[in-house]
Amino acid sequence: MASDNTPSDREVDDPDKSDSASTRRGLLRAAAGATVAGAASTAGCLGVTTPADVAARNQVSGNVAHFVGPSWLADNREDVVVLDARNVERFRKERIYGARRVPFDAITSRRSTDAGLVPDAEAIADAFAEVGVSPDDDVLVYGASVGSRVTRTAFALAALGHEGDIKALNGGLSGWNGRLGTGSRDRVQEAEYEPDPAESAWVTREWLADRVGTFNGDGPGLVDVRVPEAYVGAPASDALNPDNDRHGHLPGAIGVHWVGNVAGRRMTEPGRLVQLYENQAELDRAGTVVVYGDDNVDPTSTWLTLRAIGFEDVRVYDGGFGEWANVEDDRGRYPVETKTSVVVETEGSVGGDDGGGDFSCTG
């Protein structure tokens, strides 16, 4: 595989600070049992932030799947493949040491079938193979936060039928106080990745069309993850995609904006997520839930969030509202609704590499 000869991964700390790096890793491990609330009442509020504070803020506690904190990564760094979901400029500037970057265009690629657009398993598998990911590797994905680029990468692996564990780093890169790398990535040995597509991870346009009239009633739960203005097709709203011929939502879908899954760089507190999706949205954790947005990236945030809090069967409509709204033939089979709207209000914000913290001593 081609690679340039510019400086590869290197440790940001000076060589004579190896003891300090070891101490940092020890502090990360020691903070594994700490809670976010505990961190908010200790050193951070005195103007001193330690590696243990950082780890504790981003620690994931309770019965939560897939999301892990930096202390988990400190303990398991040698056993997982670390994937960076950010763009190439940020990747080269600074990243977790040894991380690999998968081209985002590749893992969002789709192919056309008679039933509609579906993930292009061959193209996605080739992208992971190129950076040395094998089907049985345990993988951790991180980004600037736990936003939808991270969750789309996780979904792409799941769609391939990935056999290893798939985890996302709570807090993103800013939560990591371990070894860092810069420059172009190290050469890695290309792997073989024969996909075994997990078709239960997604649904098609035709699958949905066959069930119109049953969503959130006798049939599957259906969640529109776009902003409310797009969901109701608000006239003249900037939220409307000008490339879509029709606006609104699939009949019976409820609107729950995906940003409610994220609090800055971290996942929203799990208890609030259960309240949001089980109590307010009234989704059945034991039933099938389908999520969709305008494309096939943002819905994966809700896909991973629901799986993390115990929903058993969550699927992505990979074609997205754009495919549904712009279908050319027999539009009566693919109706769009603007009335009878159910919007569940969410609160959330997605952090990034802005240099500012999302931690407050006042909570």
Side-chain angles (χ1 to χ4, degrees):
M1 179 177 59
S3 175
D4 58 33
N5 293 319
T6 54
S8 59
D9 279 342
R10 60 181 180 270
E11 190 169 359
V12 169
D13 300 307
D14 294 335
D16 60 357
K17 294 184 179 179
S18 59
D19 289 343
S20 175
S22 178
T23 300
R24 282 199 306 275
R25 289 192 290 273
L27 286 169
L28 287 169
R29 289 192 288 271
T35 64
V36 172
S41 63
T42 55
C45 292
L46 300 177
V48 178
T49 300
T50 69
D53 295 329
V54 174
R57 287 176 210 167
N58 297 291
Q59 181 62 23
V60 179
S61 60
N63 188 22
V64 176
H66 299 296
F67 291 93
V68 297
S71 55
W72 182 95
L73 180 57
D75 284 336
N76 295 277
R77 180 63 190 88
E78 300 304 318
D79 301 320
V80 296
V81 174
V82 178
L83 297 179
D84 189 313
R86 301 171 304 155
N87 64 36
V88 66
E89 290 79 13
R90 289 179 173 177
F91 175 79
R92 288 175 175 170
K93 182 178 180 181
E94 186 177 65
R95 61 182 178 274
I96 292 175
Y97 185 84
R100 312 169 193 180
R101 181 182 175 275
V102 182
F104 199 68
D105 288 347
I107 63 172
T108 58
S109 60
R110 299 176 287 195
R111 64 181 180 87
S112 181
T113 71
D114 290 341
L117 294 170
V118 300
D120 188 339
E122 293 294 335
I124 295 170
D126 287 347
F128 284 117
E130 186 176 347
V131 295
V133 179
S134 298
D136 58 352
D137 283 335
D138 292 335
V139 175
L140 177 135
V141 188
Y142 77 92
S145 68
V146 289
S148 55
R149 289 180 68 97
V150 170
T151 58
R152 177 65 205 191
T153 306
F155 173 80
L157 286 165
L160 296 180
H162 192 75
E163 298 170 10
D165 291 339
I166 305 168
K167 299 185 183 297
L169 182 63
N170 202 38
L173 180 62
S174 64
W176 174 246
N177 267 8
R179 195 178 182 189
L180 296 173
T182 63
S184 298
R185 63 178 169 84
D186 280 338
R187 292 183 177 90
V188 295
Q189 183 174 354
E190 190 167 336
E192 292 186 6
Y193 203 124
E194 186 66 32
D196 182 17
E199 296 186 4
S200 61
W202 68 81
V203 301
T204 65
R205 182 190 64 225
E206 294 307 306
W207 189 97
L208 290 168
D210 288 341
R211 292 164 177 79
V212 166
T214 71
F215 301 123
N216 296 304
D218 296 331
L222 183 62
V223 180
D224 186 314
V225 308
R226 299 172 297 161
V227 296
E229 293 82 1
Y231 171 81
V232 300
S237 171
D238 291 339
L240 301 183
N241 187 336
D243 294 331
N244 290 344
D245 293 341
R246 296 180 291 169
H247 301 287
H249 55 271
L250 274 65
I254 59 174
V256 187
H257 189 205
W258 73 271
V259 172
N261 304 325
V262 184
R265 295 177 175 87
R266 303 186 291 270
M267 71 176 297
T268 298
E269 194 275 320
R272 291 181 58 189
L273 292 169
V274 171
Q275 173 70 19
L276 174 64
Y277 287 108
E278 258 194 297
N279 299 341
Q280 294 178 256
E282 298 183 342
L283 296 174
D284 179 6
R285 68 170 51 239
T288 299
V289 178
V290 177
V291 295
Y292 75 89
D294 209 43
D295 55 24
N296 65 355
V297 177
D298 290 347
T300 61
S301 172
T302 302
W303 169 82
L304 190 61
T305 297
L306 290 174
R307 287 169 56 93
I309 61 174
F311 280 72
E312 298 176 3
D313 182 9
V314 190
R315 312 181 188 190
V316 173
Y317 172 30
D318 212 56
F321 185 75
E323 178 190 38
W324 186 275
N326 297 319
V327 67
E328 295 181 357
D329 300 321
D330 193 14
R331 289 193 169 182
R333 178 167 165 77
Y334 315 101
V336 170
E337 183 175 77
T338 56
K339 300 179 181 178
T340 61
S341 305
V342 179
V343 176
V344 179
E345 293 187 5
T346 62
E347 294 182 0
S349 62
V350 181
D353 292 340
D354 55 9
D358 53 15
F359 169 66
S360 168
C361 290
T362 62

